[in-house]
Amino acid sequence: MKVAKFGGTSLANAEQIKKVCSIVLNDSERKVIVVSAPGKRDSSDTKVTDLLIACAQKHLENGNAEAELEAVVMRFKNIANELGLDDEIVNLIRADLEERLKLDTSHAGTFMDAMKAAGEDNSAKLVAAYLNSIGKKAEYVSPKKAGLLMSDKFGNAQVLPESYENLKMINNIDGIVIFPGFFGYTKDGKVATFPRGGSDITGSILAAALKADLYENFTDVDAVYAAHPGLVHNPVAVPELTYREMRELSYAGFSVLHEDTLVPVFKAGVPVCIKNTNNPSAPGTKISLVRDYSPNHVVGIASDAGFCCIYVSKFMMNREVGFGRKLLQILEDEGISYEHTPSGIDNISIILKQNQLKEGMEQKIIDRIKAELKVDDVSIDHDLAMIIIVGEGMKNTVGTASRATTALAKASISLEMINQGSSEITMMFAVRENEAHKAVISLYNEFFLNKQYK
Amino acid sequence: MKVAKFGGTSLANAEQIKKVCSIVLNDSERKVIVVSAPGKRDSSDTKVTDLLIACAQKHLENGNAEAELEAVVMRFKNIANELGLDDEIVNLIRADLEERLKLDTSHAGTFMDAMKAAGEDNSAKLVAAYLNSIGKKAEYVSPKKAGLLMSDKFGNAQVLPESYENLKMINNIDGIVIFPGFFGYTKDGKVATFPRGGSDITGSILAAALKADLYENFTDVDAVYAAHPGLVHNPVAVPELTYREMRELSYAGFSVLHEDTLVPVFKAGVPVCIKNTNNPSAPGTKISLVRDYSPNHVVGIASDAGFCCIYVSKFMMNREVGFGRKLLQILEDEGISYEHTPSGIDNISIILKQNQLKEGMEQKIIDRIKAELKVDDVSIDHDLAMIIIVGEGMKNTVGTASRATTALAKASISLEMINQGSSEITMMFAVRENEAHKAVISLYNEFFLNKQYK
């Protein structure tokens, strides 16, 4: 049995929804379908979720959002009509939206979540109605009915562990299950959403709970690519990745999968396949615990900007038991998370996202480090990018570091930092932000175009 | 004014002491002389300090150490006679040793320190007597008289801050001051020694307290070499180093200077010169805050064995605020110090000296990490060596990492870890212990013999 999730562009209009249904009907294993809200039809379009947010905001501001509500209804009505459905489903959707607008607005976040979730919820109802209209057995299943329980951190909720047991009820449903992504319900019955992009997470949770054979994540690209297509021309598709590799790449800016998506399937051992709704015969990218594919031990190159580095030095630092721990404690006290801590014997660098250091926080941290740790020097270096090369196989290869650093040196890129732990699944290079693009190109060329190693 | 310190081999016999005195008299700036205890005359010889330790142990065991005492006296007597001194000084030394043997033995460490210090103390008296005998104004100054105060951690004592003010009294002494290295006195008048090799530290403290123009450290090598002569054939001498470079190299196994030596001179800004008693005209190695010498931005390559790596992985580790801090807290609780912590997003490696993990400590730490941090995986990899390349100039050089990793790759050496912080004064490579020698040679050849860069 497969769980298949379809993203917003796959639900954007009737034509796309027909593609989705054709894909679903083409494989009888595709039993549980998770859908997003209708996305953009073209680059100038607005996603349904954004229409809903605008509607909710207007309503919160002046208690009247008729025009905004109508814009949402019209998106659904257009799709329904083009799918040949009558207005019954449109009226249902309109009634649902009107009900939501009547909800208590005393807690804006709770109200906003209920509104935002309407996109996925009604998208699922629409798809189920369409499948029924063409004579296929399909059922919209509400996360409430299925027991998808969430923490009450509205807008950034997490699934509650008991959901996994509850969701097994889906196995008892005949026909194709159409399940809305992105949200669940708190224990007291309120809608709560995952972070944005969270339909991927819903699919992952369902695949894990139902012990699916495969979690298919349909999006609008053929595969995960070895580098970002916006940085490298026509990068190669990666046929297979491990969970860990995908996670490193996602974290460093590969936006194909929402970062949290992999946790449930990883824990349950369910493999994932990234596929393209618009080209379903393409093999896509399979993500699982181990992989056979081994091009040159490097599977991907990612870069992420917006980092800074707090540099701390103190003569004889390494003699002070607890120095590193106290330094990390200061950051923890201030709610700052960090990425890496490369060190010498008398100095340590802490790399972190610089957007955390707002309004005096930077000075506060510097002052605390000076006062509490009596350091010789503390400074902050801004505007760094982190380039990572990822690949499980690197562990057993002599020369990956050599090839990477030589490629960077040939491109005259100065390395601010290097970090490679004993896992050797990634090697990290910090460079100036304005050299990041060049760095990715030079590493891509070395590991994916260098014929010497092909 | 210069403070000059002479090591044990420079005081081993009359011939050496004459060399020392000739060096001292050759430069009127050499005003304060710190001496070690007589060292080995040849490879089969025993250092006076070791004779004293044997004497103290025998006395502690059965209250009688006449033969051992006599062995010490005879070493001094031989030197005195060869220097043409009469038995007056020998009798003084014998009386001093006999007094020490009468000290309270209820605290063995305190007794041991008083005995160990007799080597340096009487060596200083002997040198002063010799200089006087040849008509030179010289005075033995006791650390007690000069106010060199120590903490009462016998055998591993530290200088107390007020000593620096006290020691200025030395400026008021006419002629050459001969000062014994290695020890001072606790506030209640007991002898307390630095860690072994601590005559270097005494010299450094005196140079700092007296604001010397130079601290000359005379030993038995012409200079600090770019790599250990035991690992690389005929390595180049390094004319200049910064304090930070010397400290990194000392820490990683360059035994020319005791690790703690640099702290007082670094803080006072007094430059250091490493020189050879047996070849005093050689320029030696100068150590100061900045240097002009810049061969190829790498000044030295050191390696140190006996490390292990605790590898910890946990899916989504980077989401857990405080994970790194809690991990370091466990090590701190158990009294374990660490060297580096290279990390990925879901894993962290902690590199530490493996001799800290005795008798069940390894299992205890693994168990605590598992239980308290709920990790996916924790393992320990043993028998690693750390190779460092050191050089302040690396910061401004593109390609140092490339040259180093390429040299290691060409030698088929697998890199277990790489760590380069933003100071870029060192780059660290962890390799298997059995590949460390080959790694040092390949790096030395790249940075010091590669004509392409000369």
Side-chain angles (χ1 to χ4, degrees):
Chain A
M1 190 275 288
K2 299 174 182 173
V3 172
K5 177 263 169 183
F6 292 87
T9 55
S10 306
L11 282 306
N13 59 29
E15 188 191 351
Q16 287 295 90
I17 290 177
K18 283 178 182 173
K19 275 190 204 163
V20 167
C21 292
S22 153
I23 290 167
V24 170
L25 296 170
N26 202 32
D27 183 345
S28 61
E29 292 293 303
R30 290 178 179 135
K31 172 85 200 311
V32 177
I33 313 304
V34 177
V35 297
S36 296
K40 291 185 182 187
R41 289 159 294 190
D42 56 59
S43 61
S44 66
D45 199 13
T46 307
K47 294 178 181 180
V48 164
T49 305
D50 288 326
L51 295 176
L52 286 162
I53 290 170
C55 179
Q57 279 170 340
K58 190 75 182 295
H59 182 78
L60 284 170
E61 279 161 24
N62 54 17
N64 186 322
E66 265 180 49
E68 288 75 13
L69 179 86
E70 202 53 33
V72 178
V73 174
M74 286 316 293
R75 274 298 302 273
F76 280 110
K77 181 177 163 62
N78 281 345
I79 299 172
N81 291 351
E82 282 172 29
L83 286 172
L85 298 174
D86 58 30
D87 274 354
E88 187 192 336
I89 180 75
V90 180
N91 293 336
L92 274 173
I93 290 172
R94 182 189 297 277
D96 172 77
L97 290 166
E98 285 168 350
E99 279 304 307
R100 289 177 197 254
L101 278 180
K102 288 178 197 157
L103 289 169
D104 177 22
T105 57
S106 61
H107 185 280
T110 311
F111 174 74
M112 184 58 86
D113 262 15
M115 288 299 292
K116 275 168 21 186
E120 277 73 8
D121 207 21
N122 289 303
S123 179
K125 289 175 196 165
L126 197 63
V127 170
Y130 173 68
L131 283 168
N132 291 334
S133 79
I134 60 171
K136 305 298 173 187
K137 192 164 176 60
E139 183 178 333
Y140 155 80
V141 174
S142 156
K144 188 173 232 171
K145 179 180 166 191
L148 178 51
L149 293 175
M150 306 283 277
S151 68
D152 54 6
K153 200 169 177 189
F154 297 98
N156 192 20
Q158 294 213 313
V159 65
L160 297 181
E162 54 265 47
S163 303
Y164 289 93
E165 195 56 36
N166 298 343
L167 287 165
K168 289 181 181 165
M169 64 80 74
I170 293 172
N171 280 326
N172 304 325
I173 298 173
D174 257 4
I176 298 164
V177 169
I178 312 294
F179 198 97
F182 187 40
F183 73 97
Y185 286 82
T186 62
K187 281 191 173 169
D188 60 352
K190 293 195 179 74
V191 170
T193 66
F194 290 110
R196 211 159 170 187
S199 290
D200 285 344
I201 307 174
T202 304
S204 180
I205 291 166
L206 261 59
L210 302 174
K211 303 264 182 277
D213 299 308
L214 185 64
Y215 171 34
E216 293 179 310
N217 195 295
F218 282 86
T219 176
D220 52 5
V221 292
D222 274 1
V224 175
Y225 296 100
H228 195 290
L231 296 177
V232 170
H233 177 66
N234 205 12
V236 301
V238 185
E240 288 182 55
L241 289 168
T242 67
Y243 296 117
R244 299 201 305 167
E245 289 168 340
M246 185 71 241
R247 163 125 169 81
E248 298 270 353
L249 291 168
S250 292
Y251 185 74
F254 274 35
S255 57
V256 176
L257 271 193
H258 187 280
E259 219 202 311
D260 288 338
T261 306
L262 289 166
V263 180
V265 282
F266 168 79
K267 288 186 176 160
V270 176
V272 180
C273 194
I274 307 286
K275 288 182 78 74
N276 190 350
T277 305
N278 303 314
N279 185 16
S281 62
T285 298
K286 191 175 172 191
I287 304 159
S288 56
L289 202 58
V290 289
R291 63 174 163 81
D292 300 323
Y293 166 74
S294 177
N296 51 28
H297 304 293
V298 174
V299 293
I301 296 157
S303 73
D304 199 8
F307 292 93
C308 66
C309 171
I310 304 177
Y311 171 75
V312 179
S313 74
K314 183 174 188 179
F315 206 69
M316 292 280 166
M317 179 189 287
N318 75 328
R319 286 290 181 85
E320 280 186 52
V321 174
F323 186 94
R325 195 261 310 155
K326 284 175 205 155
L327 182 59
L328 299 186
Q329 183 73 61
I330 290 174
L331 296 179
E332 193 176 334
D333 290 350
E334 303 298 340
I336 303 291
S337 64
Y338 63 92
E339 310 289 322
H340 298 287
T341 58
S343 60
I345 56 172
D346 288 343
N347 60 71
I348 183 165
S349 303
I350 301 173
I351 302 168
L352 49 98
K353 279 277 184 189
Q354 65 191 6
N355 62 8
Q356 296 179 94
L357 301 182
K358 294 197 187 88
E359 295 166 32
M361 178 58 85
E362 181 166 322
Q363 197 55 47
K364 185 176 182 191
I365 286 177
I366 288 181
D367 291 345
R368 282 196 63 183
I369 291 171
K370 275 186 189 161
E372 295 170 34
L373 298 174
K374 313 264 183 263
V375 299
D376 296 334
D377 187 24
V378 51
S379 59
I380 300 194
D381 192 12
H382 298 92
D383 303 328
L384 298 173
M386 309 259 276
I387 316 288
I388 60 166
I389 60 177
V390 176
E392 300 261 1
M394 281 157 52
K395 178 82 183 166
N396 306 309
T397 321
V398 168
T400 305
S402 162
R403 290 178 63 191
T405 53
T406 302
L408 294 169
K410 281 184 183 160
S412 298
I413 292 163
S414 184
L415 291 176
E416 303 294 322
M417 271 158 276
I418 305 175
N419 187 305
Q420 181 210 319
S422 65
S423 79
E424 282 199 49
I425 178 177
T426 59
M427 206 175 288
M428 183 281 285
F429 306 100
V431 303
R432 314 286 342 157
E433 265 182 12
N434 58 14
E435 300 203 304
H437 190 169
K438 199 166 64 167
V440 170
I441 290 172
S442 64
L443 290 168
Y444 181 83
N445 289 346
E446 172 61 26
F447 287 105
F448 292 93
L449 297 185
N450 192 332
K451 288 201 174 62
Q452 190 187 339
Y453 294 93
K454 280 222 162 177
Chain B
M1 191 277 286
K2 298 175 183 173
V3 172
K5 176 261 169 184
F6 292 87
T9 56
S10 307
L11 283 304
N13 59 28
E15 187 191 351
Q16 288 296 92
I17 289 176
K18 285 178 181 171
K19 275 190 205 164
V20 166
C21 291
S22 153
I23 290 167
V24 170
L25 297 170
N26 202 32
D27 182 346
S28 62
E29 293 294 304
R30 290 179 180 134
K31 172 87 199 309
V32 177
I33 312 304
V34 177
V35 297
S36 297
K40 291 184 181 187
R41 289 159 294 190
D42 56 59
S43 61
S44 65
D45 199 13
T46 306
K47 295 178 181 180
V48 164
T49 305
D50 289 325
L51 294 177
L52 285 163
I53 290 170
C55 179
Q57 279 169 340
K58 190 76 183 294
H59 181 78
L60 284 171
E61 278 161 24
N62 53 18
N64 187 322
E66 266 181 47
E68 288 73 14
L69 180 85
E70 203 52 34
V72 178
V73 174
M74 288 313 294
R75 271 301 299 274
F76 281 109
K77 182 176 163 62
N78 280 345
I79 298 171
N81 292 352
E82 283 172 29
L83 287 171
L85 299 174
D86 57 30
D87 274 354
E88 188 190 337
I89 181 74
V90 179
N91 293 337
L92 273 172
I93 291 171
R94 183 190 297 276
D96 172 78
L97 291 167
E98 284 169 350
E99 280 304 307
R100 290 176 196 256
L101 276 179
K102 288 179 195 155
L103 289 169
D104 177 21
T105 56
S106 62
H107 185 279
T110 311
F111 175 74
M112 184 58 85
D113 261 16
M115 288 299 291
K116 275 172 14 189
E120 278 73 9
D121 207 22
N122 289 303
S123 179
K125 291 175 196 163
L126 197 63
V127 171
Y130 173 67
L131 283 168
N132 291 334
S133 79
I134 60 171
K136 306 298 174 187
K137 192 165 174 61
E139 181 178 335
Y140 155 80
V141 175
S142 155
K144 189 175 232 169
K145 178 178 165 191
L148 178 52
L149 293 175
M150 305 283 277
S151 68
D152 55 5
K153 202 170 175 188
F154 296 98
N156 191 21
Q158 295 213 312
V159 65
L160 297 181
E162 55 264 48
S163 302
Y164 289 93
E165 196 55 39
N166 298 342
L167 289 166
K168 289 180 181 164
M169 66 78 75
I170 293 173
N171 280 327
N172 305 326
I173 298 173
D174 257 3
I176 299 165
V177 169
I178 312 294
F179 199 97
F182 188 38
F183 72 98
Y185 285 82
T186 62
K187 283 190 172 169
D188 61 351
K190 294 196 177 73
V191 170
T193 66
F194 291 111
R196 211 161 169 185
S199 289
D200 285 343
I201 306 175
T202 303
S204 179
I205 290 167
L206 261 59
L210 304 174
K211 301 265 181 276
D213 300 308
L214 184 65
Y215 171 34
E216 293 179 310
N217 195 296
F218 282 86
T219 175
D220 53 4
V221 292
D222 274 2
V224 176
Y225 297 101
H228 196 290
L231 296 177
V232 169
H233 177 67
N234 204 13
V236 301
V238 185
E240 289 182 53
L241 287 169
T242 67
Y243 296 117
R244 300 200 306 166
E245 289 168 342
M246 186 69 240
R247 161 123 171 85
E248 298 270 354
L249 291 168
S250 292
Y251 186 74
F254 274 35
S255 56
V256 175
L257 271 193
H258 188 279
E259 220 202 311
D260 288 338
T261 306
L262 288 167
V263 181
V265 282
F266 168 79
K267 287 186 177 163
V270 176
V272 180
C273 194
I274 307 286
K275 289 181 78 75
N276 190 350
T277 305
N278 302 315
N279 186 16
S281 62
T285 298
K286 189 173 173 195
I287 304 161
S288 57
L289 203 57
V290 289
R291 62 173 164 83
D292 300 322
Y293 165 74
S294 177
N296 52 28
H297 304 291
V298 173
V299 294
I301 296 158
S303 72
D304 199 8
F307 292 93
C308 66
C309 171
I310 304 178
Y311 170 75
V312 179
S313 73
K314 183 175 187 178
F315 205 69
M316 292 279 164
M317 179 190 286
N318 75 328
R319 286 290 181 84
E320 278 186 54
V321 174
F323 186 94
R325 194 262 309 155
K326 285 176 206 155
L327 182 59
L328 299 185
Q329 183 72 60
I330 290 174
L331 295 178
E332 193 176 334
D333 291 349
E334 303 297 340
I336 303 292
S337 64
Y338 63 91
E339 309 291 321
H340 299 287
T341 57
S343 60
I345 55 172
D346 288 343
N347 59 73
I348 183 165
S349 302
I350 301 173
I351 303 167
L352 48 98
K353 279 276 186 191
Q354 66 191 6
N355 62 8
Q356 297 180 94
L357 301 182
K358 293 195 187 92
E359 294 167 35
M361 178 58 86
E362 182 165 321
Q363 195 56 48
K364 185 177 182 191
I365 286 176
I366 288 182
D367 291 345
R368 282 196 63 183
I369 291 171
K370 274 186 192 163
E372 295 171 32
L373 298 174
K374 314 265 183 264
V375 300
D376 296 334
D377 187 22
V378 51
S379 59
I380 300 193
D381 192 13
H382 297 92
D383 303 328
L384 298 173
M386 310 259 276
I387 316 290
I388 60 166
I389 60 177
V390 176
E392 301 259 2
M394 280 157 52
K395 177 82 183 167
N396 305 310
T397 321
V398 168
T400 306
S402 162
R403 290 178 64 190
T405 54
T406 302
L408 294 169
K410 280 184 183 158
S412 298
I413 292 163
S414 184
L415 291 176
E416 303 293 322
M417 271 159 276
I418 305 175
N419 187 305
Q420 180 209 319
S422 64
S423 79
E424 283 199 48
I425 179 178
T426 60
M427 206 175 290
M428 181 282 284
F429 305 99
V431 303
R432 314 287 340 158
E433 265 182 13
N434 58 14
E435 300 202 305
H437 191 169
K438 199 166 64 167
V440 170
I441 291 171
S442 63
L443 290 169
Y444 181 83
N445 289 347
E446 172 61 27
F447 287 105
F448 293 93
L449 298 185
N450 191 334
K451 288 200 174 63
Q452 191 187 337
Y453 295 92
K454 279 221 164 177

